[in-house]
Amino acid sequence: MDWKEILERDDIVGGDIEAQDSGDVYRGPIESITMKGDAVSIKSTWMAKLPGGIGSDSGWEKWHITQMSFSINFVTPQDIGDGRILFQIPGLGVTTIFPKGGSKLDPAKVRGLDLD
């Protein structure tokens, strides 16, 4: 599996992206995924942060960073089943892409998020 294959899929945009870094979890819906040269950019409509990660009772809160970019030379995607894609950006944590129809974060559970 490579990034060109992922970009050709029609079930990624509209799915969710979840990144785990330094004990926190970040999650949001995928608005776009593009590749220019050897750089992939993934943009979310909105993002939420769960301080302390899964199992934390702090709850999801609105997060201000809604885009990530990385070089395909350093980040290799892996198919982990059910249409999900896993990758790790050097120096950061593990990231999972969930396709449309898969696991999603309910925006009503995100403090400070106003979609109106």
Side-chain angles (χ1 to χ4, degrees):
M1 166 171 280
D2 63 26
W3 288 105
K4 290 178 185 173
E5 290 175 75
I6 293 167
L7 285 156
E8 292 172 355
R9 288 178 51 174
D10 63 0
D11 64 341
I12 299 296
V13 173
D16 263 21
I17 187 163
E18 179 181 284
Q20 299 181 25
D21 183 42
S22 300
D24 298 325
V25 178
Y26 303 86
R27 187 156 182 161
I30 299 171
E31 180 179 321
S32 66
I33 180 168
T34 58
M35 185 164 63
K36 188 173 186 178
D38 68 350
V40 170
S41 292
I42 301 173
K43 183 175 182 184
S44 294
T45 309
W46 52 265
M47 287 295 288
K49 176 181 179 181
L50 181 60
I54 304 299
S56 167
D57 60 359
S58 61
W60 291 95
E61 57 192 41
K62 181 181 176 184
W63 186 244
H64 63 281
I65 298 172
T66 59
Q67 186 166 333
M68 67 167 55
S69 297
F70 49 85
S71 171
I72 62 172
N73 298 320
F74 302 107
V75 179
T76 304
Q78 300 173 42
D79 181 340
I80 58 171
D82 296 329
R84 298 170 299 162
I85 301 159
L86 179 92
F87 60 95
Q88 184 166 357
I89 300 171
L92 298 175
V94 174
T95 301
T96 305
I97 293 174
F98 297 89
K100 287 189 287 192
S103 176
K104 293 195 77 64
L105 174 59
D106 180 355
K109 295 182 178 181
V110 181
R111 279 190 317 274
L113 182 63
D114 183 12
L115 297 178
D116 293 330

